[in-house]
Amino acid sequence: MPTSATLPVAAPGVNPHRNARTLAHIPILDPQLYQPHPGRPVRSKMRELDKDTLIMPHTHPWAQLAISTGGVIKLSLANATYIVPPHRAVWVPPGVQHAVTMVETACLYTLYFLPQAHGGGAQARWMDEAEWQECRVMEASPLLRALVVEMDIGSDHAGPLSPAQQTRESHLSALVCDEIRRAAVIHLGVRLPQDKRLKHLCEAVLEDPTRHDTLEAWALDTGASLRTVARLFRTELGCTFTQWRQQVVLAKAVALAARQLPIAHIAAELGYTPSAFSALVRRTVGMTAATFLGQQHAPLPTV
């Protein structure tokens, strides 16, 4: 049995949703019921969650992959926010504090991966590589999405798997790990600063990036001068406000695209003409708006 040190724990010091609309907070499912172990190094669970549901900040000693059907996931860290549509998945390394919000109603699949050091075996060796020690958003191939819904989602209350089920889970797990390693990384994250004044501004922009047109207008809410705010963006985030806000716009576009809105509508919602928005996407992520927004992907199968 795991000790209390291995259980997901709430992190009251992190409040990534301070400016968000009212959220329905739900408890974390008992991790002991889904904890990966050497006999089952990859475990899966599924929860049907409504829009604006928040899974409170927590950590656990195993890695995690989150992917939804139909809806959009908002993954919040102490220093970044990721908005992830259903044709993509988000990777969370062991020990990283995170909270999950459902931007749209969906089934949330969460896969847990036992690290090699804890008995994950040779299959888990890739997780020790440096590139997997940070959160990342990745493309979820049709094969990966199909494998996810085929994984057994029963908790330990359901009893042990039969030998045939165990063999099938082992094969599926190996394929899941292979597809994850092959997946293209999408640079779709919004970094957050440590300075309280700037973080307050950034969280407000995340909630409504079109509220103000200029940094000067945003800065009025912080109590800091325009010069100070501009300097903080450069020193804490390594970019200008305009560059940072473009990442927010792309993240919001992903959430809007999950509603099956046309690109022209998404652009207008974000204050862009269709051509200007398409140019922004191409310049920032190097792909067409349709590809970036997943409008060329089939939805994840439902259960």
Side-chain angles (χ1 to χ4, degrees), residues 8-16 28 56-59 76 78 96-99:
V9 293
V14 173
N15 185 10
I28 302 166
M56 293 298 288
H58 62 282
T59 63
S76 299
V96 174
Q97 178 183 290
H98 57 284

Side-chain angles (χ1 to χ4, degrees), residues 17-285:
H17 306 277
R18 180 175 61 188
N19 296 305
R21 54 192 176 274
T22 302
L23 299 171
H25 296 194
I26 64 171
I28 302 166
L29 289 181
D30 186 346
Q32 297 184 45
L33 300 180
Y34 296 89
Q35 181 175 352
H37 53 78
R40 300 181 65 185
V42 180
R43 299 290 299 274
S44 178
K45 71 179 182 184
M46 186 274 287
R47 303 184 77 174
E48 296 184 16
L49 301 175
D50 293 330
K51 177 181 178 180
D52 292 337
T53 297
L54 167 64
I55 301 175
M56 293 298 288
H58 62 282
T59 63
H60 39 67
W62 47 81
Q64 170 180 312
L65 184 80
I67 184 171
S68 71
T69 63
V72 175
I73 304 167
K74 179 180 178 182
L75 181 83
S76 299
L77 311 179
N79 63 348
T81 293
Y82 300 84
I83 297 181
V84 189
H87 58 281
R88 298 197 172 113
V90 59
W91 171 263
V92 183
V96 174
Q97 178 183 290
H98 57 284
V100 179
T101 305
M102 300 306 296
V103 180
E104 301 290 340
T105 299
C107 294
L108 174 64
Y109 285 85
T110 306
L111 274 65
Y112 295 140
F113 299 81
L114 188 67
Q116 185 180 24
H118 295 277
Q123 176 177 285
R125 188 174 301 146
W126 58 277
M127 288 190 288
D128 293 334
E129 298 170 5
E131 61 186 300
W132 296 100
Q133 304 311 305
E134 297 181 355
C135 291
R136 58 166 58 184
V137 178
M138 63 188 77
E139 290 283 3
S141 68
L143 177 56
L144 176 58
R145 288 180 278 149
L147 292 168
V148 165
V149 299
E150 289 297 324
M151 288 287 292
D152 183 271
I153 58 173
S155 72
D156 287 346
H157 277 329
L161 300 181
S162 69
Q165 291 173 320
Q166 181 76 55
T167 298
R168 186 170 189 271
E169 182 176 82
S170 178
H171 291 324
L172 290 172
S173 298
L175 282 172
V176 164
C177 290
D178 190 56
E179 281 300 292
I180 291 174
R181 296 180 65 188
R182 292 171 178 264
V185 176
I186 304 297
H187 298 289
L188 186 63
V190 179
R191 294 177 57 205
L192 295 176
Q194 295 300 312
D195 182 271
K196 292 182 179 179
R197 295 166 298 175
L198 189 61
K199 192 168 187 178
H200 175 73
L201 183 154
C202 290
E203 289 174 342
V205 177
L206 276 167
E207 287 304 312
D208 183 6
T210 63
R211 183 187 307 169
H212 300 303
D213 294 329
T214 65
L215 177 57
E216 184 176 13
W218 285 106
L220 291 175
D221 296 332
T222 68
S225 69
L226 174 61
R227 179 177 295 181
T228 297
V229 172
R231 175 180 56 80
L232 288 171
F233 266 102
R234 292 192 299 272
T235 57
E236 293 222 9
L237 299 176
C239 63
T240 66
F241 169 73
T242 298
Q243 292 168 329
W244 182 85
R245 182 180 175 277
Q246 287 174 348
Q247 293 297 317
V248 177
V249 166
L250 295 180
K252 287 293 183 180
V254 164
L256 292 171
R259 303 176 190 172
Q260 307 301 315
L261 298 175
I263 291 177
H265 188 123
I266 293 171
E269 285 278 333
L270 297 171
Y272 287 78
T273 65
S275 60
F277 176 73
S278 296
L280 169 65
V281 174
R282 174 73 73 175
R283 181 174 65 252
T284 307
V285 297

